[in-house]
Amino acid sequence: MDKTFYLSPIGLIEICGSENGISSVTFVSALNEQVFRPESLAECVVQLDEYFSGKRKNFNLKLDIQGTPFQQRIWNAVCKIQFGKTKSYHDIASETNNSSAVRAVGGANGKNKIVIIIPCHRVIGHDGSLTGYAGEIWRKKWLLEFEAQVKQGVLF
């Protein structure tokens, strides 16, 4: 398993993967080892740079997603949420033919280990509230505001 780190505008991100694809992109509090950038993760770093500079709206990376079939269906649905848009947990439940499984959708979304690339920050409460985000709510808010400004042609 290869590992590297990326310093984003909203904190340090640890990227893990292999020749099979990216397996995790998670926020971490500190760099706990020497930074080495393996070739298998270089494109992920490039695409994160493009995203945070407002040049990339969709990621095109090979992913090595580990999860149950239900979780994978939810994450695939989340990947279809367009840049700068949001959907509710209820919307995702309905789109995956699980309209009564709103909490299970939230649970699956919370287990997403490939943040930003699988854009779980775009999933919000039915009432528009910013509920749940493993990377902390302030990051979810920042990402949604960032995407809205990029979409409008205004950068921070």
Coordinates of all heavy atoms in Angstrom, one line a residue, residues 29-118:
S29 N -4.7 14.9 11.2 CA -4.3 16.1 12.0 C -2.8 16.4 11.9 O -2.5 17.6 12.1 CB -4.7 15.9 13.4 OG -4.1 14.7 13.9
A30 N -2.0 15.4 11.6 CA -0.6 15.7 11.5 C 0.1 14.8 10.6 O -0.3 13.6 10.3 CB 0.0 15.6 12.9
L31 N 1.2 15.2 10.1 CA 2.1 14.4 9.3 C 3.0 13.6 10.2 O 3.7 14.1 11.0 CB 3.0 15.3 8.4 CG 3.8 14.7 7.3 CD1 3.0 14.2 6.2 CD2 4.8 15.8 6.8
N32 N 2.8 12.3 10.1 CA 3.5 11.4 11.1 C 4.6 10.6 10.5 O 5.1 9.7 11.1 CB 2.5 10.5 11.8 CG 1.7 9.7 10.9 OD1 1.9 9.7 9.7 ND2 0.7 8.9 11.4
E33 N 5.0 10.9 9.2 CA 6.1 10.2 8.6 C 6.6 11.1 7.4 O 6.0 12.1 7.1 CB 5.6 8.9 8.1 CG 4.4 8.9 7.2 CD 3.8 7.6 6.9 OE1 3.0 7.1 7.8 OE2 4.2 7.0 5.9
Q34 N 7.7 10.7 6.9 CA 8.4 11.4 5.8 C 7.5 11.3 4.6 O 6.9 10.3 4.3 CB 9.7 10.8 5.5 CG 10.5 11.6 4.5 CD 11.9 11.0 4.3 OE1 12.2 10.0 4.8 NE2 12.7 11.7 3.5
V35 N 7.4 12.5 3.9 CA 6.5 12.5 2.7 C 7.3 11.9 1.5 O 8.4 12.3 1.2 CB 6.1 14.0 2.4 CG1 5.3 14.0 1.1 CG2 5.3 14.5 3.5
F36 N 6.7 11.0 0.9 CA 7.2 10.4 -0.3 C 6.0 10.3 -1.3 O 4.9 10.0 -0.9 CB 7.7 8.9 0.0 CG 8.1 8.1 -1.2 CD1 9.2 8.5 -2.0 CD2 7.3 7.0 -1.6 CE1 9.5 7.7 -3.1 CE2 7.6 6.3 -2.7 CZ 8.7 6.6 -3.5
R37 N 6.2 10.6 -2.5 CA 5.1 10.6 -3.5 C 5.3 9.5 -4.5 O 5.9 9.7 -5.5 CB 5.0 11.9 -4.2 CG 3.8 12.0 -5.1 CD 3.2 13.4 -5.1 NE 2.8 13.9 -3.8 CZ 2.8 15.1 -3.5 NH1 3.1 16.0 -4.4 NH2 2.4 15.5 -2.3
P38 N 4.7 8.3 -4.2 CA 4.8 7.2 -5.1 C 4.1 7.5 -6.5 O 3.1 8.2 -6.5 CB 4.1 6.0 -4.4 CG 3.7 6.5 -3.1 CD 4.0 8.0 -3.0
E39 N 4.6 7.0 -7.5 CA 4.0 7.2 -8.9 C 2.5 6.8 -8.9 O 1.7 7.5 -9.5 CB 4.7 6.4 -9.9 CG 4.3 6.7 -11.3 CD 4.4 8.1 -11.8 OE1 5.4 8.8 -11.3 OE2 3.6 8.6 -12.6
S40 N 2.1 5.8 -8.1 CA 0.7 5.3 -8.1 C -0.3 6.4 -7.6 O -1.5 6.3 -7.8 CB 0.6 4.0 -7.3 OG 0.9 4.3 -6.0
L41 N 0.2 7.4 -6.8 CA -0.6 8.4 -6.2 C -0.4 9.8 -6.8 O -1.2 10.7 -6.5 CB -0.3 8.5 -4.7 CG -0.5 7.1 -4.0 CD1 -0.1 7.3 -2.5 CD2 -1.9 6.5 -4.1
A42 N 0.5 9.9 -7.8 CA 0.8 11.2 -8.3 C -0.4 11.9 -9.0 O -0.6 13.1 -8.9 CB 2.0 11.1 -9.3
E43 N -1.1 11.1 -9.8 CA -2.3 11.7 -10.5 C -3.3 12.2 -9.6 O -4.0 13.2 -9.8 CB -2.8 10.7 -11.5 CG -3.9 11.2 -12.4 CD -3.6 12.4 -13.2 OE1 -2.4 12.6 -13.5 OE2 -4.5 13.2 -13.6
C44 N -3.5 11.5 -8.4 CA -4.5 11.9 -7.4 C -4.1 13.3 -6.9 O -4.9 14.2 -6.8 CB -4.6 10.9 -6.3 SG -5.8 11.3 -5.1
V45 N -2.8 13.5 -6.6 CA -2.3 14.8 -6.1 C -2.5 15.9 -7.2 O -3.0 17.0 -6.9 CB -0.8 14.7 -5.7 CG1 -0.2 16.1 -5.5 CG2 -0.7 13.8 -4.5
V46 N -2.2 15.6 -8.4 CA -2.5 16.5 -9.5 C -3.9 16.9 -9.6 O -4.3 18.1 -9.7 CB -2.0 15.9 -10.9 CG1 -2.5 16.8 -12.1 CG2 -0.5 15.8 -10.9
Q47 N -4.8 15.9 -9.5 CA -6.2 16.2 -9.7 C -6.8 17.0 -8.4 O -7.7 17.8 -8.6 CB -7.0 14.9 -9.9 CG -6.8 14.4 -11.4 CD -7.7 13.3 -11.8 OE1 -8.8 13.2 -11.4 NE2 -7.2 12.5 -12.7
L48 N -6.3 16.7 -7.3 CA -6.7 17.5 -6.1 C -6.2 18.9 -6.2 O -6.9 19.9 -5.9 CB -6.1 16.9 -4.8 CG -6.8 15.6 -4.3 CD1 -6.0 14.9 -3.2 CD2 -8.2 16.0 -3.8
D49 N -5.0 19.1 -6.7 CA -4.5 20.5 -7.0 C -5.4 21.2 -7.9 O -5.8 22.4 -7.7 CB -3.1 20.5 -7.6 CG -2.0 20.6 -6.6 OD1 -2.2 21.0 -5.5 OD2 -0.8 20.2 -7.0
E50 N -5.8 20.5 -9.0 CA -6.7 21.1 -10.0 C -8.1 21.5 -9.4 O -8.7 22.5 -9.7 CB -6.9 20.2 -11.2 CG -5.6 20.1 -12.0 CD -5.7 18.9 -13.0 OE1 -6.6 18.1 -13.0 OE2 -4.7 18.9 -13.9
Y51 N -8.6 20.6 -8.6 CA -9.9 20.8 -7.9 C -9.8 22.0 -7.0 O -10.6 22.9 -7.1 CB -10.2 19.5 -7.0 CG -11.4 19.8 -6.2 CD1 -12.7 19.6 -6.6 CD2 -11.3 20.1 -4.8 CE1 -13.8 19.9 -5.8 CE2 -12.4 20.4 -4.0 CZ -13.7 20.2 -4.5 OH -14.7 20.5 -3.7
F52 N -8.8 22.1 -6.1 CA -8.7 23.2 -5.2 C -8.3 24.5 -5.9 O -8.5 25.6 -5.3 CB -7.7 22.9 -4.0 CG -8.3 22.0 -3.0 CD1 -7.9 20.7 -2.8 CD2 -9.3 22.4 -2.2 CE1 -8.4 19.8 -1.9 CE2 -9.9 21.6 -1.2 CZ -9.5 20.3 -1.1
S53 N -7.8 24.5 -7.1 CA -7.6 25.7 -7.8 C -8.8 26.1 -8.7 O -8.7 27.1 -9.4 CB -6.3 25.6 -8.7 OG -6.5 24.7 -9.7
G54 N -9.8 25.3 -8.6 CA -11.0 25.6 -9.4 C -11.0 25.2 -10.8 O -11.9 25.5 -11.6
K55 N -10.0 24.4 -11.2 CA -9.9 24.0 -12.6 C -10.6 22.6 -12.9 O -10.8 22.3 -14.0 CB -8.4 23.9 -13.0 CG -7.8 25.3 -13.0 CD -6.3 25.1 -13.3 CE -5.6 26.5 -13.1 NZ -4.2 26.3 -13.0
R56 N -10.8 21.8 -11.8 CA -11.4 20.5 -12.0 C -12.7 20.4 -11.3 O -12.8 20.7 -10.1 CB -10.4 19.4 -11.5 CG -11.0 18.0 -11.6 CD -9.9 17.0 -11.3 NE -8.9 16.9 -12.3 CZ -9.1 16.2 -13.4 NH1 -10.2 15.5 -13.7 NH2 -8.1 16.2 -14.3
K57 N -13.7 19.9 -12.0 CA -15.0 19.7 -11.4 C -15.3 18.2 -11.2 O -16.2 17.8 -10.5 CB -16.1 20.4 -12.2 CG -15.9 21.9 -12.2 CD -17.0 22.6 -12.9 CE -16.8 24.1 -12.7 NZ -16.5 24.8 -13.8
N58 N -14.7 17.3 -12.0 CA -14.9 15.9 -11.9 C -13.5 15.2 -11.8 O -12.6 15.6 -12.6 CB -15.6 15.4 -13.2 CG -17.0 16.0 -13.3 OD1 -17.8 15.9 -12.5 ND2 -17.2 16.8 -14.4
F59 N -13.5 14.2 -11.0 CA -12.2 13.4 -10.9 C -12.3 12.2 -11.8 O -13.3 11.7 -12.1 CB -12.1 12.9 -9.4 CG -11.8 14.0 -8.5 CD1 -12.8 14.7 -7.8 CD2 -10.4 14.4 -8.2 CE1 -12.5 15.7 -6.9 CE2 -10.1 15.5 -7.4 CZ -11.2 16.1 -6.7
N60 N -11.1 11.9 -12.3 CA -11.0 10.8 -13.3 C -9.8 9.9 -12.8 O -8.7 10.0 -13.3 CB -10.7 11.3 -14.7 CG -10.7 10.1 -15.7 OD1 -11.2 9.1 -15.4 ND2 -10.1 10.4 -16.8
L61 N -10.1 9.2 -11.7 CA -9.1 8.4 -11.1 C -9.6 6.9 -10.9 O -10.8 6.7 -10.7 CB -8.8 8.9 -9.7 CG -8.1 10.3 -9.6 CD1 -8.2 10.8 -8.2 CD2 -6.7 10.2 -10.0
K62 N -8.6 6.0 -11.0 CA -9.0 4.6 -10.7 C -9.1 4.5 -9.2 O -8.2 4.8 -8.4 CB -7.9 3.7 -11.2 CG -8.2 2.2 -11.1 CD -7.0 1.4 -11.7 CE -7.3 -0.1 -11.4 NZ -6.1 -0.9 -11.9
L63 N -10.3 4.0 -8.8 CA -10.5 3.8 -7.3 C -10.6 2.4 -6.9 O -11.0 1.5 -7.7 CB -11.9 4.5 -7.0 CG -12.0 6.0 -7.3 CD1 -13.4 6.5 -6.9 CD2 -10.9 6.8 -6.6
D64 N -10.1 2.1 -5.8 CA -10.1 0.8 -5.2 C -11.1 0.9 -3.9 O -10.6 1.0 -2.8 CB -8.7 0.3 -4.8 CG -8.7 -1.1 -4.2 OD1 -9.7 -1.8 -4.4 OD2 -7.7 -1.5 -3.6
I65 N -12.4 0.9 -4.2 CA -13.4 1.1 -3.2 C -13.7 -0.2 -2.4 O -14.0 -1.2 -3.0 CB -14.7 1.6 -3.8 CG1 -14.4 2.9 -4.6 CG2 -15.7 1.9 -2.8 CD1 -15.6 3.4 -5.5
Q66 N -13.5 -0.1 -1.1 CA -13.8 -1.2 -0.3 C -15.0 -1.0 0.6 O -15.1 0.0 1.3 CB -12.6 -1.5 0.7 CG -11.3 -1.7 0.0 CD -11.3 -3.0 -0.8 OE1 -11.7 -4.0 -0.4 NE2 -10.8 -2.9 -2.0
G67 N -16.0 -1.8 0.4 CA -17.3 -1.6 1.1 C -18.3 -2.7 0.7 O -18.1 -3.4 -0.2
T68 N -19.4 -2.7 1.4 CA -20.4 -3.7 1.1 C -21.1 -3.3 -0.2 O -20.9 -2.1 -0.7 CB -21.5 -3.7 2.2 OG1 -22.2 -2.4 2.2 CG2 -20.9 -3.9 3.6
P69 N -21.8 -4.2 -0.8 CA -22.5 -3.8 -2.1 C -23.5 -2.6 -1.9 O -23.6 -1.8 -2.7 CB -23.3 -5.1 -2.4 CG -22.5 -6.2 -1.9 CD -21.9 -5.6 -0.6
F70 N -24.2 -2.6 -0.7 CA -25.0 -1.4 -0.4 C -24.2 -0.1 -0.4 O -24.6 0.9 -1.0 CB -25.8 -1.6 0.9 CG -26.6 -0.5 1.3 CD1 -27.9 -0.2 0.7 CD2 -26.2 0.4 2.2 CE1 -28.6 0.9 1.0 CE2 -26.9 1.5 2.6 CZ -28.2 1.8 2.0
Q71 N -23.1 -0.1 0.4 CA -22.3 1.1 0.5 C -21.8 1.5 -0.9 O -21.8 2.7 -1.3 CB -21.1 0.8 1.4 CG -21.5 0.7 2.8 CD -20.3 0.1 3.7 OE1 -19.4 -0.5 3.2 NE2 -20.4 0.5 5.0
Q72 N -21.4 0.5 -1.7 CA -20.9 0.9 -3.1 C -22.0 1.5 -3.9 O -21.7 2.4 -4.7 CB -20.2 -0.4 -3.7 CG -18.9 -0.7 -3.0 CD -18.1 -1.8 -3.7 OE1 -18.2 -2.0 -4.9 NE2 -17.2 -2.4 -3.0
R73 N -23.2 1.0 -3.8 CA -24.3 1.6 -4.6 C -24.5 3.0 -4.1 O -24.7 3.9 -5.0 CB -25.6 0.8 -4.4 CG -25.8 -0.4 -5.3 CD -27.2 -0.9 -5.3 NE -27.9 -1.0 -4.0 CZ -27.8 -2.1 -3.2 NH1 -27.0 -3.1 -3.5 NH2 -28.5 -2.1 -2.1
I74 N -24.4 3.3 -2.8 CA -24.6 4.6 -2.3 C -23.5 5.5 -2.8 O -23.7 6.6 -3.3 CB -24.7 4.6 -0.8 CG1 -25.9 3.8 -0.3 CG2 -24.7 6.1 -0.2 CD1 -27.2 4.1 -0.8
W75 N -22.3 5.1 -2.7 CA -21.1 5.9 -3.2 C -21.2 6.1 -4.7 O -20.8 7.2 -5.1 CB -19.8 5.2 -2.8 CG -19.6 5.0 -1.3 CD1 -20.2 5.8 -0.3 CD2 -18.9 4.0 -0.6 NE1 -19.8 5.4 0.9 CE2 -19.0 4.3 0.8 CE3 -18.2 2.9 -1.0 CZ2 -18.4 3.4 1.8 CZ3 -17.6 2.1 -0.1 CH2 -17.7 2.4 1.3
N76 N -21.6 5.2 -5.4 CA -21.8 5.4 -6.9 C -22.8 6.5 -7.1 O -22.6 7.3 -8.0 CB -22.2 4.1 -7.6 CG -21.0 3.2 -7.7 OD1 -19.8 3.6 -7.8 ND2 -21.3 1.9 -7.8
A77 N -23.9 6.5 -6.4 CA -24.9 7.5 -6.5 C -24.4 8.9 -6.1 O -24.6 9.9 -6.8 CB -26.2 7.2 -5.7
V78 N -23.6 8.9 -5.0 CA -23.0 10.2 -4.6 C -22.0 10.7 -5.6 O -22.0 11.9 -5.8 CB -22.3 9.9 -3.2 CG1 -21.4 11.1 -2.8 CG2 -23.3 9.6 -2.1
C79 N -21.3 9.9 -6.3 CA -20.4 10.3 -7.4 C -21.1 11.0 -8.5 O -20.5 11.8 -9.3 CB -19.6 9.1 -7.9 SG -18.3 8.6 -6.8
K80 N -22.4 10.8 -8.7 CA -23.2 11.4 -9.8 C -23.7 12.8 -9.4 O -24.2 13.4 -10.3 CB -24.3 10.4 -10.1 CG -23.8 9.1 -10.7 CD -25.0 8.2 -11.0 CE -24.4 6.9 -11.5 NZ -25.4 5.8 -11.6
I81 N -23.5 13.2 -8.2 CA -24.0 14.5 -7.8 C -23.0 15.5 -8.5 O -21.8 15.5 -8.2 CB -24.0 14.7 -6.3 CG1 -24.9 13.7 -5.6 CG2 -24.5 16.2 -5.9 CD1 -24.7 13.7 -4.1
Q82 N -23.5 16.4 -9.2 CA -22.7 17.3 -10.0 C -22.0 18.4 -9.1 O -22.5 18.7 -8.0 CB -23.6 18.1 -11.0 CG -24.1 17.2 -12.1 CD -25.0 18.0 -13.1 OE1 -25.1 19.2 -13.0 NE2 -25.6 17.3 -14.0
F83 N -20.9 18.8 -9.5 CA -20.1 19.8 -8.9 C -21.0 21.0 -8.6 O -21.7 21.5 -9.5 CB -18.9 20.2 -9.8 CG -18.0 21.2 -9.2 CD1 -16.8 20.8 -8.5 CD2 -18.2 22.6 -9.3 CE1 -16.0 21.8 -8.0 CE2 -17.4 23.5 -8.8 CZ -16.2 23.1 -8.1
G84 N -21.0 21.5 -7.4 CA -21.7 22.7 -7.0 C -23.2 22.4 -6.7 O -23.9 23.4 -6.4
K85 N -23.6 21.2 -6.7 CA -25.0 20.8 -6.4 C -25.0 20.0 -5.1 O -24.0 19.5 -4.7 CB -25.6 20.0 -7.5 CG -25.6 20.6 -8.9 CD -26.8 21.4 -9.1 CE -26.9 22.0 -10.5 NZ -28.0 22.8 -10.7
T86 N -26.2 19.8 -4.6 CA -26.3 19.0 -3.4 C -27.6 18.1 -3.6 O -28.4 18.4 -4.4 CB -26.5 19.7 -2.1 OG1 -27.7 20.6 -2.2 CG2 -25.3 20.6 -1.8
K87 N -27.6 17.0 -2.9 CA -28.8 16.1 -2.8 C -28.9 15.7 -1.3 O -27.9 15.7 -0.6 CB -28.6 14.9 -3.6 CG -28.7 15.2 -5.1 CD -28.9 13.9 -5.9 CE -29.1 14.3 -7.4 NZ -29.2 13.2 -8.2
S88 N -30.1 15.4 -0.9 CA -30.4 15.0 0.4 C -30.1 13.5 0.6 O -30.1 12.7 -0.4 CB -31.8 15.3 0.9 OG -32.7 14.5 0.2
Y89 N -30.0 13.1 1.8 CA -29.9 11.6 2.1 C -31.1 10.9 1.6 O -31.0 9.8 1.0 CB -29.7 11.4 3.6 CG -28.4 11.9 4.2 CD1 -28.4 13.2 4.8 CD2 -27.3 11.2 4.1 CE1 -27.2 13.7 5.3 CE2 -26.1 11.7 4.6 CZ -26.1 12.9 5.2 OH -24.9 13.5 5.7
H90 N -32.3 11.5 1.7 CA -33.5 11.0 1.2 C -33.5 10.8 -0.4 O -33.9 9.8 -0.9 CB -34.7 11.8 1.6 CG -36.0 11.2 1.1 ND1 -36.6 11.6 0.0 CD2 -36.8 10.3 1.7 CE1 -37.7 10.9 -0.2 NE2 -37.9 10.1 0.9
D91 N -32.9 11.8 -1.0 CA -32.8 11.8 -2.5 C -31.9 10.5 -2.9 O -32.3 9.8 -3.8 CB -32.1 13.0 -3.1 CG -32.9 14.3 -2.9 OD1 -34.2 14.2 -2.8 OD2 -32.3 15.4 -2.9
I92 N -30.8 10.4 -2.2 CA -29.9 9.2 -2.5 C -30.6 7.9 -2.2 O -30.5 7.0 -3.0 CB -28.6 9.4 -1.7 CG1 -27.8 10.7 -2.1 CG2 -27.7 8.1 -2.0 CD1 -27.4 10.8 -3.5
A93 N -31.3 7.9 -1.1 CA -32.1 6.6 -0.8 C -33.1 6.3 -1.9 O -33.2 5.2 -2.3 CB -32.8 6.8 0.6
S94 N -33.8 7.3 -2.3 CA -34.8 7.1 -3.4 C -34.1 6.7 -4.7 O -34.6 5.8 -5.4 CB -35.6 8.3 -3.6 OG -36.4 8.6 -2.5
E95 N -33.0 7.3 -5.1 CA -32.3 7.0 -6.3 C -31.8 5.6 -6.3 O -31.5 5.0 -7.4 CB -31.2 8.0 -6.6 CG -31.7 9.4 -6.9 CD -30.6 10.4 -7.0 OE1 -29.5 10.1 -7.1 OE2 -31.0 11.6 -7.1
T96 N -31.5 5.0 -5.2 CA -30.9 3.7 -5.1 C -32.0 2.7 -4.7 O -31.7 1.6 -4.3 CB -29.8 3.6 -4.1 OG1 -30.2 4.1 -2.8 CG2 -28.6 4.5 -4.6
N97 N -33.3 3.1 -4.9 CA -34.4 2.2 -4.6 C -34.5 1.7 -3.2 O -34.8 0.6 -2.9 CB -34.4 1.0 -5.6 CG -34.6 1.4 -7.0 OD1 -35.4 2.3 -7.3 ND2 -33.8 0.8 -7.9
N98 N -34.1 2.6 -2.3 CA -34.1 2.3 -0.8 C -34.8 3.5 -0.1 O -34.2 4.0 0.9 CB -32.7 2.1 -0.3 CG -32.0 0.9 -0.9 OD1 -32.4 -0.2 -0.6 ND2 -31.0 1.1 -1.8
S99 N -35.9 3.9 -0.5 CA -36.5 5.2 0.0 C -36.7 5.2 1.5 O -36.7 6.2 2.1 CB -37.8 5.5 -0.7 OG -38.7 4.5 -0.6
S100 N -36.8 4.0 2.1 CA -37.0 4.0 3.6 C -35.6 3.9 4.3 O -35.6 3.8 5.5 CB -37.9 2.9 4.0 OG -37.3 1.6 3.6
A101 N -34.5 3.9 3.6 CA -33.2 3.6 4.2 C -32.4 4.9 4.3 O -31.2 4.8 4.1 CB -32.5 2.5 3.4
V102 N -33.0 6.0 4.7 CA -32.3 7.2 4.8 C -31.2 7.1 5.8 O -30.0 7.6 5.5 CB -33.3 8.4 5.2 CG1 -32.5 9.7 5.4 CG2 -34.3 8.6 4.1
R103 N -31.4 6.5 7.0 CA -30.3 6.4 8.0 C -29.2 5.5 7.5 O -28.0 5.8 7.7 CB -30.9 5.9 9.3 CG -31.6 6.9 10.1 CD -31.9 6.4 11.4 NE -32.6 7.5 12.1 CZ -33.1 7.4 13.3 NH1 -33.0 6.2 14.0 NH2 -33.7 8.4 13.9
A104 N -29.5 4.5 6.8 CA -28.5 3.6 6.2 C -27.7 4.3 5.2 O -26.5 4.1 5.1 CB -29.2 2.3 5.6
V105 N -28.3 5.2 4.4 CA -27.6 6.0 3.4 C -26.6 6.9 4.2 O -25.4 7.0 3.8 CB -28.6 6.8 2.5 CG1 -27.8 7.9 1.8 CG2 -29.3 5.9 1.6
G106 N -27.1 7.5 5.3 CA -26.2 8.3 6.1 C -25.0 7.5 6.6 O -23.9 8.0 6.6
G107 N -25.3 6.3 7.1 CA -24.2 5.4 7.6 C -23.2 5.1 6.5 O -22.0 5.1 6.7
A108 N -23.7 4.8 5.3 CA -22.8 4.4 4.2 C -22.0 5.6 3.8 O -20.8 5.6 3.6 CB -23.6 3.9 3.0
N109 N -22.6 6.8 3.8 CA -21.9 8.0 3.4 C -20.9 8.3 4.4 O -19.8 8.8 4.1 CB -22.9 9.2 3.3 CG -22.5 10.2 2.4 OD1 -22.0 10.0 1.3 ND2 -22.7 11.5 2.7
G110 N -21.1 8.1 5.7 CA -20.2 8.3 6.8 C -19.0 7.4 6.7 O -17.9 7.7 7.3
K111 N -19.1 6.2 6.1 CA -18.0 5.3 5.9 C -17.2 5.5 4.7 O -16.2 4.7 4.4 CB -18.6 3.9 6.0 CG -19.1 3.5 7.4 CD -19.4 2.0 7.4 CE -19.9 1.5 8.7 NZ -20.0 2.3 9.9
N112 N -17.5 6.5 3.9 CA -16.7 6.8 2.7 C -15.3 7.2 3.1 O -15.1 8.1 3.9 CB -17.4 8.0 2.0 CG -16.6 8.5 0.8 OD1 -15.7 7.8 0.3 ND2 -16.8 9.8 0.5
K113 N -14.3 6.4 2.6 CA -12.9 6.7 2.9 C -12.2 7.5 1.8 O -11.0 7.6 1.9 CB -12.2 5.4 3.1 CG -12.7 4.7 4.4 CD -11.9 3.4 4.6 CE -12.3 2.7 5.9 NZ -11.6 1.6 6.2
I114 N -13.0 7.9 0.8 CA -12.4 8.6 -0.3 C -13.1 10.0 -0.5 O -13.8 10.2 -1.4 CB -12.4 7.8 -1.6 CG1 -11.8 6.4 -1.4 CG2 -11.7 8.5 -2.8 CD1 -11.9 5.4 -2.6
V115 N -12.9 10.8 0.6 CA -13.5 12.1 0.6 C -13.1 13.0 -0.6 O -12.1 12.8 -1.2 CB -13.3 12.9 1.9 CG1 -13.8 12.0 3.1 CG2 -11.9 13.2 2.1
I116 N -13.9 13.9 -0.9 CA -13.8 14.9 -2.0 C -14.0 14.2 -3.3 O -14.8 14.6 -4.1 CB -12.5 15.7 -1.9 CG1 -12.4 16.5 -0.6 CG2 -12.4 16.7 -3.1 CD1 -11.1 17.1 -0.3
I117 N -13.2 13.1 -3.6 CA -13.3 12.4 -4.8 C -14.6 11.7 -4.9 O -15.3 11.7 -6.0 CB -12.1 11.4 -5.0 CG1 -10.8 12.3 -5.1 CG2 -12.3 10.5 -6.2 CD1 -9.6 11.5 -4.8
I118 N -15.1 11.0 -3.9 CA -16.4 10.5 -3.7 C -17.1 11.6 -2.9 O -16.8 11.7 -1.7 CB -16.5 9.2 -3.0 CG1 -15.9 8.1 -3.9 CG2 -18.0 8.8 -2.8 CD1 -15.9 6.7 -3.3

